[in-house]
Amino acid sequence: PPIAKDISAYKSQAGKSDAFKTLSLFTQAVANKQQKYQDAFSEGVVLELNKASLSSLFQTKDAAFRLTLPFNKGNINVELLKVAQNDILVETNVSATQKYSTGIYYRGIIDGDHHSTVTLSIFDDNVAGIISSPSLGNIVLAKAKNSDEYVFYSSASLKDNFGFVCGTPEDQEIMPVYPTQNISADKALHTNKRVRIYYEVANDIYRAKGSSVEQTVNWINAVHNNVSTLYYNEGLRVDLH
């Protein structure tokens, strides 16, 4: 898969297997915080963000790093590469088109699992991501509603109510998740051309994001990081306009 090849190429170019420095962005929350979400999902943990580490990463914009995430009495280690993304144009019903430059976006794999896919979107005040693999399924990392806590859970184990996730209308999932099968079962798609797309965001998402244009733009950028990564692994480049 292309992302796994990118990871291997980066290590070769750096000339060493430990080319990815390790960052500590999250620690597992104490037991009483875990209990708050026991009715929301059966497989997952509550994490606490290291804000100093986030601030440092947002400033340095590292080209690559390794991240350890606690999950189900163990850890998931991921290796990530930064994704180049241009400034985007945003238009609302009350303002003219404006240029936005928000976030740092990464894609990668679970360490040692070349068939996995990982995305991570970094903003100055929050983080969002998805880990996907044939063995683990889709695991979502998202900020909890009205809290500084993060939930890191298997989407397959999620129960009826999506309302515990920050800024998510209750009738919608937080982000698209990856299919367990490739888009093209018989042959891969390969093209050097880039597809430029745009999104229209409904008013309920805008309201769920605190009626903030910036937070709504951050959310859709994180969504796009997931979507573009999915297509990238199938040989198709998708740019946000």
Side-chain angles (χ1 to χ4, degrees), residues 13-222:
Q13 192 175 39
K16 51 185 179 179
S17 59
D18 60 344
F20 292 76
K21 74 174 186 179
T22 300
L23 297 183
S24 297
L25 281 179
F26 291 95
T27 56
Q28 189 161 339
V30 295
N32 65 325
K33 292 185 178 181
Q34 307 288 338
Q35 293 171 357
K36 291 196 304 183
Y37 301 92
Q38 63 184 1
D39 293 330
F41 47 76
S42 57
E43 291 185 40
V45 294
V46 181
L47 303 178
E48 294 182 337
L49 176 66
N50 184 327
K51 294 182 179 180
S53 293
L54 174 64
S55 178
S56 176
L57 176 59
F58 199 76
Q59 294 298 319
T60 59
K61 297 177 172 57
D62 293 337
F65 66 91
R66 179 182 288 109
L67 181 65
T68 297
L69 293 165
F71 186 74
N72 281 1
K73 299 181 180 179
N75 292 311
I76 299 176
N77 300 307
V78 301
E79 295 178 326
L80 297 159
L81 293 174
K82 188 170 69 171
V83 181
Q85 182 161 319
N86 297 326
D87 293 344
I88 64 170
L89 300 176
V90 177
E91 183 176 336
T92 72
N93 64 333
V94 295
S95 66
T97 301
Q98 300 180 49
K99 183 179 290 187
Y100 273 77
S101 178
T102 65
I104 317 166
Y105 307 96
Y106 293 88
R107 61 171 63 123
I109 61 172
I110 298 172
D111 189 7
D113 184 352
H114 288 191
H115 296 286
S116 62
T117 306
V118 181
T119 63
L120 197 70
S121 299
I122 306 290
F123 304 101
D124 61 350
D125 60 351
N126 70 86
V127 179
I130 292 179
I131 294 174
S132 180
S133 78
S135 60
L136 294 174
N138 295 301
I139 305 176
V140 178
L141 174 67
K143 193 172 186 295
K145 183 181 290 184
N146 301 322
S147 172
D148 285 335
E149 298 156 359
Y150 280 76
V151 285
F152 187 45
Y153 62 91
S154 166
S155 62
S157 76
L158 191 62
K159 300 177 183 179
D160 290 338
N161 184 16
F162 288 87
F164 67 89
V165 173
C166 179
T168 306
E170 293 194 7
D171 61 344
Q172 299 185 35
E173 294 186 5
I174 179 171
M175 294 180 189
V177 293
Y178 301 114
T180 55
Q181 304 248 334
N182 289 340
I183 292 176
S184 175
D186 53 347
K187 61 181 180 178
L189 302 170
H190 292 287
T191 176
N192 292 324
K193 296 181 179 179
R194 306 180 80 96
V195 179
R196 301 180 70 190
I197 64 173
Y198 73 94
Y199 296 93
E200 291 186 4
V201 180
N203 186 254
D204 59 344
I205 295 177
Y206 170 71
R207 293 199 312 271
K209 301 305 295 181
S211 299
S212 165
V213 173
E214 180 179 1
Q215 292 301 317
T216 303
V217 171
N218 287 350
W219 183 85
I220 200 63
N221 270 281

